[in-house]
Amino acid sequence: EGVIVLDSGDVARLGLRTVVLQSSSSAPVRRLTGELIPEPDRITTVRAPIAGRLSVPGNSRWPSFGDRLTAGREIAQVSDAKPLVLARGGVVTQVGAQPGEMVQAGQLLLEITDYDRPLARIAWPADAPAPPPEITLSFEQPGASRVPARLVGAAPNADPVTRLPAYLYRASRSWIGARPGAVVIASVSDRGSSG
């Protein structure tokens, strides 16, 4: 180790100031692992209301897998039926038909999933502090930021990998790669506050 020793003359000549450090009482931070889980109630399916030919309005483009759609958008029409309008926005996670095809009544045309505020299941060891009302989620992705998340409650099932009890946290926003199955890390201090 390198050590630099300065006498009072050197300190005065260099214009250095010293301060006494205050003691810190921060608790150790524990990193708990979890994953984003699917939410069936955040999935919207668009189905053919009647049997007929699928068409898109005007110069619109039929959505592809991974496209982001907004609520209220008119996306298709089947024969003479009323045009289909999206009730909820999200990301296209399944495409069941293409414009120009004949579709059956009730056939899946599109599946749209809302990933705007993902739900994380965090495995919670018995020796960890009580789950705090808010934590910060981080994820292993270059340039990724940390995202605040609020406690929803205890998960109905244990974590499938660790078999530990788990808690659900709702992220305040989404990020690139925020899809079910993505691994997240929750930083929790031993006092139970977010880290």
Side-chain angles (χ1 to χ4, degrees):
E1 289 183 18
V3 176
I4 297 175
V5 177
L6 300 173
D7 62 22
S8 59
D10 292 333
V11 170
R13 185 171 42 82
L14 294 171
L16 296 176
R17 287 186 325 137
T18 59
V19 293
V20 178
L21 295 177
Q22 300 295 322
S23 63
S24 174
S25 60
S26 65
V29 173
R30 183 184 296 239
R31 290 170 48 93
L32 304 177
T33 59
E35 72 173 325
L36 299 183
I37 60 173
E39 295 181 84
D41 61 331
R42 294 177 77 90
I43 296 173
T44 302
T45 56
V46 178
R47 296 188 178 277
I50 61 171
R53 188 168 306 279
L54 177 66
S55 63
V56 293
N59 294 331
S60 297
R61 183 181 71 80
W62 182 244
S64 299
F65 180 82
D67 285 353
R68 176 166 282 285
L69 304 176
T70 56
R73 175 181 169 187
E74 186 179 305
I75 58 164
Q77 186 170 357
V78 177
S79 292
D80 293 335
K82 183 176 168 182
L84 300 170
V85 177
L86 285 179
R88 185 190 312 188
V91 175
V92 176
T93 50
Q94 189 173 349
V95 178
Q98 293 294 323
E101 292 180 357
M102 293 297 292
V103 295
Q104 299 301 313
Q107 179 179 337
L108 174 73
L109 303 177
L110 289 175
E111 177 184 88
I112 297 123
T113 305
D114 179 4
Y115 292 128
D116 285 345
R117 297 183 60 230
L119 187 65
R121 179 181 53 226
I122 308 297
W124 216 270
D127 63 341
E134 190 168 304
I135 62 173
T136 302
L137 299 175
S138 58
F139 28 94
E140 303 197 4
Q141 180 180 336
S145 60
R146 295 163 48 104
V147 175
R150 295 205 55 77
L151 178 65
V152 173
N157 302 315
D159 182 78
V161 175
T162 64
R163 299 287 180 218
L164 292 171
Y167 287 87
L168 301 176
Y169 280 85
R170 172 79 59 200
S172 63
R173 62 176 176 80
S174 189
W175 59 91
I176 295 172
R179 300 292 184 265
V183 174
V184 293
I185 305 295
S187 300
V188 180
S189 79
D190 279 340
R191 283 199 212 114
S193 61
S194 63

